[in-house]
Amino acid sequence: MRVFADHLRRSGRRTGGCVVAVALSIAMAGCGSRDTAERAEEDAKKNEAQDTRPVVLVNQALAATFDTTTSLTSTKDALTKGTVVVRSTVVDGTPECHMHISKGDDSSIDFLVNDSGVYTRITEEAIRETALRQGQVLPEQITAMAGRWVKRGADKAEIMREELCRPEAQRAQLEEQLLTPKNLRHGKKEAASLNGRPTTKLTFTGGPSRLEVQVAAEGRPYLLKIVEYGGVLWEFGGFDKPYRVSTPETSIDETDVAAEILDAV
């Protein structure tokens, strides 16, 4: 290869075709290096697929759950902090979702995002709880907002879509809050089952709290359940099941809500 390239460069100088000679030299060298790179990449993928270390299995489960599915339901139970259920889907390339946050029987907040916009609904109890944390709430606010679907401004649609609906956002939250490198130390794996479904249970004891992760053992390695002892319980399902986020039958625009409150004060 080097002799051939040197010959091209010498020929190029003699004939004034130096640029062509160099280009040919690069092209010839590139052919061999590209083949080598492709083989190395293929070998790396095969090795990763065969790697059964707990941390690698977690990464494979995250990819299967969040990178390729078109629909997903996740349920996060944060013990005393309440339960968050997110049903997300991708319709014609656009993420849609419905998030329901509940604490007890009477306190809940809903966020709904689809192609027609963003809608929120909050119960009276949730309004009062929010007021305790953020400041005084007017009785007129409760009357105007409690239990009603409110359509939010278009400027909020893309922000909500990015933060709530995209699977990448859910994966990032998991990796930042729970499945961190610190928490995924000292792992072991064992065969188990979840609701009659064969799973691989991964247990990590290197973090502040013991962490258990259950991954589907048959078919795609979906992430099925995460348990942080003394912390949260996170479950996943509804993979690739058709789902549509329906627009509320009745709603009020947020500008009209503001007008109602001002009129009543």
Side-chain angles (χ1 to χ4, degrees), residues 127-137:
I127 294 175
R128 295 187 184 279
E129 290 177 359
T130 302
L132 290 176
R133 295 191 300 269
Q134 299 182 357
Q136 184 178 1
V137 62

Side-chain angles (χ1 to χ4, degrees), residues 154-202:
D155 59 317
K156 300 179 180 66
E158 192 57 32
I159 296 175
M160 300 287 281
R161 194 182 305 280
E162 290 288 335
E163 294 184 356
L164 298 183
C165 301
R166 291 192 182 279
E168 298 90 340
Q170 295 186 52
R171 174 173 180 170
Q173 184 183 13
L174 271 175
E175 292 179 314
E176 291 170 6
Q177 297 181 4
L178 202 57
L179 301 180
T180 64
K182 181 179 179 180
N183 288 344
L184 297 181
R185 295 180 301 169
H186 307 309
K188 69 173 185 178
K189 67 185 181 87
E190 59 184 305
S193 64
L194 180 64
N195 300 324
R197 181 175 188 172
T199 65
T200 300
K201 184 169 74 172
L202 310 170

Side-chain angles (χ1 to χ4, degrees), residues 85-157:
V85 179
V86 180
R87 298 188 69 184
S88 58
T89 188
V90 178
V91 179
D92 297 330
T94 302
E96 299 183 354
C97 65
H98 180 186
M99 174 185 283
H100 179 75
I101 305 171
S102 61
K103 185 178 180 181
D105 296 330
D106 301 320
S107 178
S108 67
I109 305 173
D110 286 274
F111 297 88
L112 190 155
V113 184
N114 63 10
D115 58 354
S116 69
V118 176
Y119 302 82
T120 63
R121 181 176 61 185
I122 183 169
T123 63
E124 179 177 338
E125 184 64 24
I127 294 175
R128 295 187 184 279
E129 290 177 359
T130 302
L132 290 176
R133 295 191 300 269
Q134 299 182 357
Q136 184 178 1
V137 62
L138 299 173
E140 292 79 11
Q141 288 178 283
I142 296 177
T143 301
M145 296 181 63
R148 304 172 79 181
W149 281 109
V150 178
K151 185 172 184 179
R152 300 300 179 175
D155 59 317
K156 300 179 180 66

Side-chain angles (χ1 to χ4, degrees), residues 19 125 243:
V19 174
E125 184 64 24
Y243 173 66

